[in-house]
Amino acid sequence: MTEDPRTEEAVWGDGRNLYDAVPYLDTIIETIGRDLVLEEHSLALITAYAAAQMIVEQAESTGIRDEETALLVVRTLAEAAAATERATDGSNSC
């Protein structure tokens, strides 16, 4: 069973997490993960850059001020979402 990325471990000092600080980021990350599973890499990359820009735009809340760091965060979250998608697909096919 995978844990929700919004669990207490992901919470910052003020009780918010990255998904709270950046509106719709959770949906965007899920979409990127699905695109990776479907091997739509160019679409995933374009969407990842947009998500990174959204994180940087919320720098006061996220603490992430440069796009390279934001892109690494997005990549990590998207790869986790893709792994979850693959696991879910695998369990549904049994």
Side-chain angles (χ1 to χ4, degrees), residues 6 19 22-34 47:
R6 292 174 273 191
Y19 292 111
V22 182
Y24 308 109
L25 183 63
D26 54 345
T27 303
I28 294 168
I29 294 297
E30 288 175 18
T31 301
I32 297 168
R34 200 169 309 116
T47 310

Side-chain angles (χ1 to χ4, degrees), residues 35-47 86:
D35 289 342
L36 291 173
V37 170
L38 297 173
E39 297 184 6
E40 295 288 344
H41 300 288
S42 60
L43 184 57
L45 184 61
I46 291 167
T47 310
R86 287 184 191 101

Side-chain angles (χ1 to χ4, degrees), residues 45-80:
L45 184 61
I46 291 167
T47 310
Y49 275 106
Q53 289 174 347
M54 290 171 61
I55 291 171
V56 171
E57 286 172 5
Q58 299 295 325
E60 191 168 316
S61 298
T62 66
I64 300 171
R65 301 191 188 306
D66 63 282
E67 193 170 320
E68 293 82 17
T69 301
L71 197 55
L72 285 173
V73 170
V74 169
R75 179 180 178 178
T76 302
L77 294 172
E79 287 176 357

